Amino acid sequence: MTGKRIVSLMIIAGLLCLNIVAVSADQVVVREAVRVQSEVSSGATAMAQSTVDEKNAEISKDEAKAIALKALKDYFGTQLDEKKYETEISFRQDYELRETFVWDIQWHMYNEEKSVNINVSIDANKGKIFDIRKHEYFHGQDSRRIATITQEQAEVLAQDFIKKVNPDKYKQLSQMEDEFAQYRYGTGSAEYYFKYVRQIDGVPFDANYISVEIDGVDKRIISYSCRWNDEADIPSRTDVISKEKAEEIYREKLKMSLQYIPYGDRYDYSKPPKKIKLVYAPGSAADDYYVGVLDAKSGTMTDLGIVERAEQKVKDITGEEKEKIYRKNTSKAVKEIDQNEASKRMTDIVQKMFGDGYTIESLRYSEQNDYWETNGQKSWSAQFSKEEGSMRYDYGGRITIDAKSGQLISLYRHYDFEMQDTTQQPKLTWEKAYDKAIEMIGKYYPEKIKDIDTKQIYMQSIHYINDKQYVDRTFYFNFQRMVNGVPYSNNQISIGFDAYSGMINDIRCRWDEDAQFPSVEGVLGEEKAEEIYFESSKLQLAYMAVNKSKDLNKPQMEVVLIYRIKPAQSGYQMGYVDALTGEVVGYDGEVIKSQQNDFEKKIHGHWAEKQLNILAFQGIIDPKAFEMDKEATWMDVVKMLVNTKGYEPYMLRSAEPLKIRNIKQDHDDYKYLQMAVMYGILDNTEEPFNREVNITREEMAQLVVKMLQYDKLAKSSDIFKLPFTDAQQVSKDRIGYVAIGVGLGIFEGDNGAFRPLDNATMVEVASTVYKALGSMK
């Protein structure tokens, strides 16, 4: 078994709600699972719906609408005037309770003041509310709103609401363990979401739950969902295997394998990862296709999926074949290509892939753009289209190339996800698609052929709809980068094909040329890593709803008992074991520790506790690095203000370069300063910016008021008067800024003094920012 054969049991458990788990290249690939599910939900569901007559529903369309209107009044206090709204009503299969059909009712309203979107889904046979949501947006409202209540205060509102609308079920609920609690902070949203799972004698049943969403600004209920099956046949727990036996089976099936993972700043995904960690990841101990959860009665591993799979297929190429492809490498260092050359290269690539008749359009240059789109490289990107059919969109896609080498970074062709009837003959078998994928690598990335794992495993998914067999339409290959014989999860060449048209759907190369990989020397042994993994985890008994039918249009749901692995530290998602230190780390490489509790302990009882908690939740301050009494630097304040407005590097695609003399373009702070200029917080002048110099309170006031866009008014300093005993110490050119802040309730005196020349502390800056957000319109 190679190190690539890695299956995270925690990821799998999360994917079980999809009913389908697919893999490519010996590993569970989340993207592939989502893709397969997309095929099922968009293609199969549509076909399934077409066979169900809405006239057979026990609740009529008009009755459903009346139920929805009453619920809006009861839940949200909304007496809907339908004359002001556009109404859409559809009949569909429920996305979660697949055996159930719902009436989906939507109301939309747009006027000069605001837009309102309301959605209510109702069980078409029982008239129960499944989902209800009301979203209002006032035009001109700043997208970055600040909450007025903490998460804990919002949870009280959520629980009170459930007690009001569903008191009987509330007694059976327990808040779902937040497996991503270490990621609690940094959401950027002022909305709080709570999910409560049904407990049956202390055993969770995830498929039955109630969720509530709270607007943290005006404290109102935004949405409510309830999925509950009172008629489910709950199996007895008398004949389940013991936890000890379950752990013994898990240990037998589990193998810890080495893997490189990116370790970067999870608060800024636009940048390449700063470091790479070597970890042990849990996977299959045998050369198996899948390791999943444990059936608590039979003691066997199962994926609990609804799909039938054909015989496993494996393909690889020899070292000699790799060497032959490698020799094709003719790439040379070239000068940065211009727009005309970029267009020519794109045209050539598209023509070779899809034929003549395509036009390159909307050509755009990006410099050190979003990491997820271009790997941070300088690039050219464009749309390509063809004048055929009723819509140009049907015959085109998007292409991105490296601006220095001209090498293809990514290409995506517009296509649908429908499954195909097996009576139709595909143009590509999986084996032929594999050969074409290797051919593509030889054509566009021959220099990387020795550095990828070319072995791929495939098991065809077979679906039935009204007893008619359908199979996968797309083949997806994921060739992971290998370093020191270990896979790197963040670098790969991925290629997808449409089996029935024979055309390529997408191709992408993600590769960090400057990445530094730790040595595999001195790693913990596999046995030691396994011990750490199990010491840091626990087995949990749970109920799970499983579709036993192969036919997507004839679901047969059955509740079963399973054992699953959970982190021993409640509220945290366990990912890997650091292969060098033995520390348990999350999927982002962060050591799993009680960051949330550490921060909350640090700020507990402080006069700014509530403000700091909310700012951390919304990603404006970083709880892991925030020190309340630290004297803030200019860069500290700029970062906080940019986070306040929204740190969105993609907005800088057409931004002018900084004129500031003492910061290079590749510096971590460069984009923050660019964003500050774009938001009007800083002026783009040819002067040095002293990032590490402490900022005074009056300087802080100036930046905050500039963020609020009162800069021009503030410059009229002669019209303002300050109410502080030390007003004469405020610099003349900053009097207006301080005065406006006082008028908006942002700045207050300290025993009647403002202390304009004192250095501002981090907690003072944070408190000021919180108040400023409350004044933004």
Side-chain angles (χ1 to χ4, degrees):
M1 172 179 163
T2 67
K4 185 137 192 265
R5 200 158 294 125
I6 294 166
V7 180
S8 170
L9 302 178
M10 300 306 298
I11 292 179
I12 293 170
L15 289 174
L16 285 171
C17 63
L18 298 179
N19 277 338
I20 292 176
V21 178
V23 298
S24 176
D26 278 356
Q27 82 173 142
V28 170
V29 178
V30 175
R31 176 178 174 179
E32 179 70 352
V34 173
R35 178 194 67 76
V36 175
Q37 176 64 10
S38 178
E39 291 183 11
V40 175
S41 60
S42 64
T45 301
M47 287 182 278
Q49 287 177 16
S50 65
T51 64
V52 178
D53 190 344
E54 63 185 51
K55 294 179 181 178
N56 294 331
E58 294 183 20
I59 304 296
S60 70
K61 182 186 297 185
D62 290 338
E63 288 172 332
K65 189 175 178 182
I67 293 170
L69 289 170
K70 185 177 185 301
L72 285 170
K73 182 179 179 182
D74 293 344
Y75 292 4
F76 299 150
T78 299
Q79 188 76 46
L80 201 66
D81 183 355
E82 288 195 86
K83 295 178 181 178
K84 297 180 180 179
Y85 288 81
E86 293 182 8
T87 307
E88 297 177 22
I89 303 179
S90 60
F91 184 76
R92 62 169 173 81
Q93 191 173 15
D94 185 58
Y95 299 131
E96 297 184 47
L97 301 179
R98 305 298 294 172
E99 73 277 23
T100 307
F101 282 80
V102 299
W103 288 106
D104 193 78
I105 308 169
Q106 299 183 44
W107 286 280
H108 310 282
M109 186 270 283
Y110 181 94
N111 59 30
E112 294 179 355
E113 178 191 9
K114 64 180 180 179
S115 61
V116 182
N117 293 292
I118 298 171
N119 175 256
V120 186
S121 62
I122 296 168
D123 186 325
N125 288 325
K126 298 182 180 179
K128 294 180 179 179
I129 298 290
F130 274 3
D131 304 287
I132 182 167
R133 190 175 201 278
K134 180 183 178 183
H135 180 267
E136 290 182 291
Y137 176 77
F138 290 87
H139 307 308
Q141 163 185 299
D142 194 283
S143 58
R144 174 71 82 166
R145 303 185 305 151
I146 190 70
T148 59
I149 55 175
T150 64
Q151 187 176 34
E152 288 72 20
Q153 292 171 321
E155 185 172 5
V156 173
L157 297 178
Q159 292 182 356
D160 287 345
F161 180 77
I162 298 173
K163 291 176 188 176
K164 172 187 170 184
V165 302
N166 233 323
D168 293 337
K169 290 183 173 54
Y170 177 78
K171 298 174 184 177
Q172 303 177 56
L173 294 173
S174 174
Q175 183 171 3
M176 185 176 184
E177 287 186 5
D178 183 1
E179 295 177 349
F180 294 92
Q182 72 265 37
Y183 306 107
R184 165 184 171 180
Y185 298 116
T187 65
S189 173
E191 297 168 354
Y192 298 104
Y193 176 82
F194 305 97
K195 184 175 182 179
Y196 301 89
V197 171
R198 181 182 180 184
Q199 299 281 323
I200 303 174
D201 295 328
V203 177
F205 184 19
D206 296 353
N208 284 194
Y209 69 88
I210 292 177
S211 66
V212 179
E213 196 175 6
I214 306 289
D215 188 311
V217 179
D218 57 23
K219 309 175 189 178
R220 64 183 175 85
I221 307 296
I222 300 174
S223 70
Y224 164 81
S225 294
C226 179
R227 294 294 188 284
W228 206 281
N229 186 353
D230 290 309
E231 300 172 2
D233 186 10
I234 306 299
S236 167
R237 287 189 283 161
T238 55
D239 53 350
V240 301
I241 62 174
S242 67
K243 280 188 177 181
E244 291 74 19
K245 179 61 177 176
E247 182 173 333
E248 181 183 324
I249 296 170
Y250 263 114
R251 285 179 177 270
E252 179 186 342
K253 294 288 185 180
L254 189 78
K255 179 179 177 63
M256 304 298 288
S257 301
L258 286 173
Q259 181 178 6
Y260 285 114
I261 63 170
Y263 173 47
D265 185 354
R266 62 182 170 86
Y267 293 92
D268 182 5
Y269 293 106
S270 67
K271 297 177 183 177
K274 294 179 181 178
K275 298 179 182 178
I276 293 172
K277 278 193 174 183
L278 182 62
V279 300
Y280 277 104
S284 170
D287 196 12
D288 294 333
Y289 173 79
Y290 181 82
V291 172
V293 298
L294 186 67
D295 187 301
K297 298 210 172 189
S298 68
T300 57
M301 287 288 181
T302 175
D303 63 3
L304 301 178
I306 62 171
V307 294
E308 176 183 328
R309 297 192 183 278
E311 183 180 355
Q312 177 175 295
K313 298 179 180 181
V314 183
K315 281 210 75 173
D316 199 357
I317 59 174
T318 65
E320 184 178 341
E321 289 172 305
K322 288 185 179 183
E323 185 65 37
K324 186 176 180 180
I325 292 171
Y326 183 78
R327 292 198 203 103
K328 292 182 181 179
N329 181 20
T330 58
S331 60
K332 298 178 181 179
V334 296
K335 294 181 180 180
E336 190 165 325
I337 60 178
D338 60 18
Q339 184 172 347
N340 290 334
E341 179 63 22
S343 181
K344 288 179 184 177
R345 295 198 181 205
M346 289 178 175
T347 301
D348 181 60
I349 292 172
V350 172
Q351 183 182 41
K352 287 179 179 177
M353 286 193 183
F354 306 118
D356 297 328
Y358 288 89
T359 303
I360 299 295
E361 54 194 12
S362 303
L363 194 63
R364 188 184 68 195
Y365 175 78
S366 298
E367 190 166 317
Q368 293 185 328
N369 199 6
D370 187 357
Y371 171 67
W372 292 107
E373 182 178 353
T374 66
N375 297 348
Q377 299 163 247
K378 296 179 179 179
S379 65
W380 287 99
S381 60
Q383 303 291 331
F384 61 91
S385 62
K386 188 175 184 179
E387 292 287 357
E388 285 188 26
S390 58
M391 294 178 64
R392 296 172 71 197
Y393 178 84
D394 295 335
Y395 297 89
R398 181 177 177 82
I399 182 172
T400 302
I401 64 172
D402 189 302
K404 287 188 175 180
S405 66
Q407 188 178 58
L408 178 65
I409 294 177
S410 64
L411 179 144
Y412 173 87
R413 179 179 69 86
H414 301 311
Y415 62 99
D416 58 38
F417 284 106
E418 291 183 5
M419 295 184 298
Q420 293 293 327
D421 186 338
T422 50
T423 58
Q424 299 183 42
Q425 291 301 312
K427 293 184 179 180
L428 277 182
T429 62
W430 179 81
E431 291 86 350
K432 288 182 179 178
Y434 175 89
D435 293 339
K436 288 193 71 171
I438 294 296
E439 181 185 337
M440 286 287 182
I441 295 172
K443 185 178 293 184
Y444 297 107
Y445 315 106
E447 76 285 359
K448 293 181 172 61
I449 191 67
K450 293 182 178 180
D451 297 321
I452 59 174
D453 186 352
T454 52
K455 183 178 179 180
Q456 299 282 287
I457 292 180
Y458 174 70
M459 291 184 74
Q460 184 183 54
S461 299
I462 301 173
H463 311 270
Y464 296 86
I465 299 175
N466 294 330
D467 301 319
K468 197 171 187 178
Q469 191 182 82
Y470 293 81
V471 297
D472 292 341
R473 175 171 180 167
T474 59
F475 297 129
Y476 186 79
F477 301 93
N478 187 56
F479 301 94
Q480 279 200 309
R481 181 179 183 179
M482 302 292 289
V483 183
N484 301 323
V486 177
Y488 178 39
S489 63
N490 209 44
N491 279 189
Q492 68 279 321
I493 299 172
S494 53
I495 307 174
F497 294 95
D498 185 309
Y500 285 82
S501 69
M503 298 176 70
I504 190 168
N505 285 335
D506 55 87
I507 180 170
R508 179 177 181 83
C509 178
R510 178 179 299 286
W511 209 274
D512 298 322
E513 297 291 353
D514 300 326
Q516 300 294 316
F517 295 87
S519 169
V520 295
E521 297 295 326
V523 298
L524 302 170
E526 290 180 14
E527 290 185 7
K528 179 62 176 176
E530 181 181 315
E531 280 302 317
I532 294 172
Y533 184 83
F534 277 99
E535 286 173 4
S536 305
S537 64
K538 63 181 179 181
L539 285 181
Q540 183 188 56
L541 187 66
Y543 291 104
M544 185 168 287
V546 181
N547 188 354
K548 292 292 187 177
S549 172
K550 295 180 181 179
D551 197 315
L552 295 174
N553 199 32
K554 301 174 182 178
Q556 298 172 5
M557 305 306 294
E558 180 181 328
V559 180
V560 298
L561 276 161
I562 56 103
Y563 278 108
R564 58 189 179 191
I565 290 184
K566 304 281 284 185
Q569 186 178 358
S570 178
Y572 290 86
Q573 181 80 0
M574 185 173 62
Y576 312 108
V577 175
D578 190 307
L580 299 174
T581 68
E583 295 173 302
V584 178
V585 299
Y587 294 118
D588 60 354
E590 290 273 2
V591 175
I592 291 181
K593 58 182 180 181
S594 185
Q595 172 187 302
Q596 172 183 336
N597 291 338
D598 288 348
F599 180 67
E600 290 179 351
K601 287 177 183 177
K602 184 194 303 183
I603 66 175
H604 180 68
H606 194 276
W607 60 265
E609 178 181 359
K610 176 181 176 180
Q611 298 169 346
L612 295 174
N613 215 316
I614 291 171
L615 290 173
F617 180 84
Q618 294 191 225
I620 295 171
I621 63 174
D622 179 357
K624 68 180 180 181
F626 189 82
E627 295 295 335
M628 289 182 289
D629 297 326
K630 171 183 175 286
E631 291 187 341
T633 65
W634 274 78
M635 198 64 222
D636 288 331
V637 177
V638 166
K639 283 188 173 181
M640 203 181 299
L641 294 179
V642 168
N643 288 340
T644 298
K645 294 288 287 184
Y647 178 66
E648 307 290 353
Y650 71 88
M651 296 169 62
L652 298 172
R653 288 169 178 167
S654 57
E656 61 177 316
L658 290 177
K659 296 177 183 177
I660 297 170
R661 293 197 301 263
N662 62 335
I663 184 165
K664 295 182 179 180
Q665 206 168 17
D666 60 353
H667 195 282
D668 287 347
D669 294 338
Y670 188 88
K671 287 183 181 180
Y672 264 105
L673 293 176
Q674 270 191 306
M675 294 290 294
V677 169
M678 187 184 71
Y679 286 136
I681 298 167
L682 294 177
D683 298 322
N684 195 13
T685 57
E686 294 184 1
E687 297 176 359
F689 180 75
N690 298 316
R691 301 189 304 278
E692 302 308 318
V693 173
N694 290 333
I695 193 169
T696 65
R697 285 171 54 81
E698 67 172 13
E699 290 168 337
M700 171 193 68
Q702 182 177 13
L703 294 188
V704 171
V705 171
K706 288 184 76 170
M707 178 193 71
L708 296 175
Q709 300 179 357
Y710 292 119
D711 188 42
K712 290 183 179 179
L713 177 62
K715 288 178 179 177
S716 304
S717 58
D718 293 338
I719 67 174
F720 295 106
K721 185 177 180 180
L722 296 175
F724 303 117
T725 58
D726 55 357
Q728 72 282 356
Q729 295 181 21
V730 177
S731 303
K732 184 177 179 180
D733 59 350
R734 295 194 176 104
I735 290 174
Y737 295 97
V738 177
I740 288 173
V742 171
L744 293 173
I746 298 172
F747 308 132
E748 298 175 359
D750 182 4
N751 292 324
F754 181 66
R755 300 183 291 110
L757 302 181
D758 286 3
N759 290 336
T761 64
M762 289 294 286
V763 72
E764 288 175 336
V765 178
S767 177
T768 300
V769 165
Y770 179 86
K771 294 173 185 176
L773 269 168
S775 72
M776 290 173 71
K777 304 299 180 185

